[in-house]
Amino acid sequence: MSPTSLIPTLSLLTTLLAPVALSQTFTSCNPLNTTTCPPNPALSTNHTYDLTVSSFGSSTWNTTAGLLTYTRSGAEFTIATRGDAPTIQSQFYIFGGEVEVWMRAAEGQGVVSSIVLQSDDLDEVDWELLGGNNTHAQTNYFGKGNTTSYDRAVWYPVADPQGGFHNYTTRWTKEKLEWFIDGATVRTLKYEDANGGENFPQSPMNVRLGVWAAGDRENNNYTVEWAGGKTDYDKGPYTMVVQSVRVTDFSDGKEYRYGDMTGSWDSIKIEPGNSTAEEELNKPPPMTASQRWNSLGPGAKIGVACAVGASCLALILLSAVYCSRQRRAGRRERAIADADFEKEMRELSAYRATMAKGGFAVSSREV
């Protein structure tokens, strides 16, 4: 598959768009500027996140902006009001690998659905889909945050990305980068073709997914124009849905360290050991009550049964004692009430007898 005739115009426009490339990318410590940056925790395995039945999980991903909603369709990234830009980022890094995302892009003029791989020294590989463009997806890359030119974006046909789910895959090795749409290769970038390798991504990268309004009125005119126009929030909400994510790390180790301040592929050190992310992903799920019961031995089951029986018996005895006490207390209260009633009846009978005999008390003042 090759780019269509509209690509030159879009690529020319993209050369003016530094804010677009930087809108959802950042680094907290750049190894090109200091040797004190922490190592990158490795994935060191492959894993598929089926978001129709589970979440990304806080043990391997961080939500860096906004909130995600999980439904039977997948993870929903929604722009409901101005300022919304829900984004999630993996805690792990891959050093060479493959990222496959089944996604339905968000609708909406100026709204951008993005899949980003980025390293601490700002190597970057992108997918970007515009809410107002239902025929193409943009591929892009950067090396070491080099924004001296923006002519690396290339657009490729995809059928109605906002109306249905499509597979967007990136494969990254030391020698080349490849982009796939629904299993078909649409673009290949060789190391030497990226400015002699200088702009070729070659340091460990994490994975970032998000949606944002490039068409916001506060963005510059070039960004808004690239995004297809201003975003009308009153016509929202605008939702990107991610059905599943498969991530494969081609390297094997505990973590990745920068051996120097060049950020070159060969300078990256792979520290041996067990990957924390891999350990988290391989943890068995919590057992259900029936599974815990089935895992017990015969002696343990008898002990549990005896304990339960003893508890039930103790509960029955306590209930019986309580009821007995309540009955005794009730009898005492009834006896007191009966005595009071009998006393009142005797007094009432005596009063009636006195009335019948004409025995009224007369005050001396009335004589």
Side-chain angles (χ1 to χ4, degrees):
M1 190 181 297
S2 59
T4 62
S5 58
L6 62 81
I7 302 308
T9 302
L10 293 173
S11 296
L12 178 60
L13 180 59
T14 306
T15 64
L16 304 172
L17 301 179
V20 172
L22 300 177
S23 61
Q24 288 199 7
T25 58
F26 57 89
T27 181
S28 58
C29 186
N30 193 327
L32 303 185
N33 301 328
T34 177
T35 59
T36 61
C37 293
N40 300 148
L43 175 60
S44 192
T45 187
N46 67 83
H47 187 75
T48 298
Y49 296 85
D50 183 352
L51 303 169
T52 64
V53 296
S54 62
S55 67
F56 279 102
S58 59
S59 63
T60 52
W61 293 80
N62 290 328
T63 302
T64 56
L67 297 172
L68 275 61
T69 302
Y70 293 93
T71 68
R72 292 181 179 179
S73 297
E76 297 186 350
F77 299 67
T78 299
I79 296 176
T81 59
R82 185 168 183 264
D84 288 347
T87 306
I88 195 165
Q89 174 181 319
S90 68
Q91 297 177 22
F92 56 78
Y93 289 68
I94 63 173
F95 187 37
E98 192 168 277
V99 177
E100 174 188 85
V101 178
W102 279 94
M103 180 179 75
R104 185 176 68 209
E107 296 180 330
Q109 180 173 285
V111 175
V112 182
S113 301
S114 62
I115 305 167
V116 178
L117 280 67
Q118 188 184 303
S119 68
D120 290 353
D121 63 0
L122 299 179
D123 283 345
E124 185 178 329
V125 184
D126 299 338
W127 287 97
E128 290 177 303
L129 295 100
L130 307 184
N133 184 337
N134 67 350
T135 60
H136 287 78
Q138 177 183 282
T139 64
N140 207 347
Y141 72 95
F142 295 89
K144 306 295 180 284
N146 182 357
T147 56
T148 57
S149 67
Y150 288 84
D151 56 355
R152 295 179 284 274
V154 183
W155 299 73
Y156 292 92
V158 57
D160 192 13
Q162 299 82 17
F165 288 91
H166 292 274
N167 182 316
Y168 303 95
T169 298
T170 306
R171 176 184 286 266
W172 169 47
T173 66
K174 183 178 180 180
E175 295 77 26
K176 63 182 178 181
L177 266 169
E178 296 172 283
W179 290 261
F180 303 80
I181 296 178
D182 294 330
T185 307
V186 295
R187 183 180 185 182
T188 300
L189 174 72
K190 295 181 179 179
Y191 172 88
E192 58 270 20
D193 293 335
N195 193 23
E198 185 176 339
N199 288 338
F200 187 84
Q202 50 193 303
S203 50
M205 294 193 280
N206 57 34
V207 183
R208 309 178 185 197
L209 307 171
V211 63
W212 61 291
D216 188 86
R217 63 176 181 266
E218 293 299 320
N219 288 335
N220 65 60
N221 291 335
Y222 296 120
T223 300
V224 173
E225 186 178 353
W226 167 81
K230 291 184 178 180
T231 300
D232 186 347
Y233 297 98
D234 292 335
K235 292 182 178 180
Y238 306 112
T239 301
M240 175 184 92
V241 184
V242 178
Q243 197 172 69
S244 68
V245 177
R246 179 179 60 83
V247 186
T248 302
D249 190 353
F250 287 168
S251 299
D252 185 13
K254 177 182 180 181
E255 57 193 21
Y256 305 121
R257 293 182 180 273
Y258 287 75
D260 56 33
M261 296 172 68
T262 65
S264 67
W265 191 288
D266 292 334
S267 72
I268 303 301
K269 308 299 181 183
I270 302 176
E271 299 293 337
N274 296 326
S275 161
T276 301
E278 184 177 11
E279 290 177 349
E280 287 290 336
L281 294 171
N282 290 333
K283 278 184 178 179
M287 289 194 297
T288 63
S290 62
Q291 289 173 329
R292 288 196 295 271
W293 172 256
N294 293 333
S295 68
L296 296 176
K301 288 182 178 179
I302 292 173
V304 171
C306 291
V308 172
S311 298
C312 291
L313 180 59
L315 182 60
I316 291 172
L317 292 174
L318 287 173
S319 298
V321 171
Y322 176 77
C323 291
S324 177
R325 288 180 176 177
Q326 288 296 101
R327 283 196 296 270
R328 288 198 297 270
R331 285 196 294 268
R332 286 196 298 270
E333 292 174 359
R334 179 60 183 268
I336 293 171
D338 288 346
D340 289 342
F341 177 75
E342 291 174 0
K343 178 182 178 183
E344 290 174 358
M345 290 301 296
R346 286 195 300 270
E347 292 176 348
L348 179 60
S349 296
Y351 175 73
R352 286 176 176 173
T354 302
M355 291 285 291
K357 294 178 180 179
F360 297 99
V362 179
S363 171
S364 60
R365 292 180 181 176
E366 297 175 348
V367 176

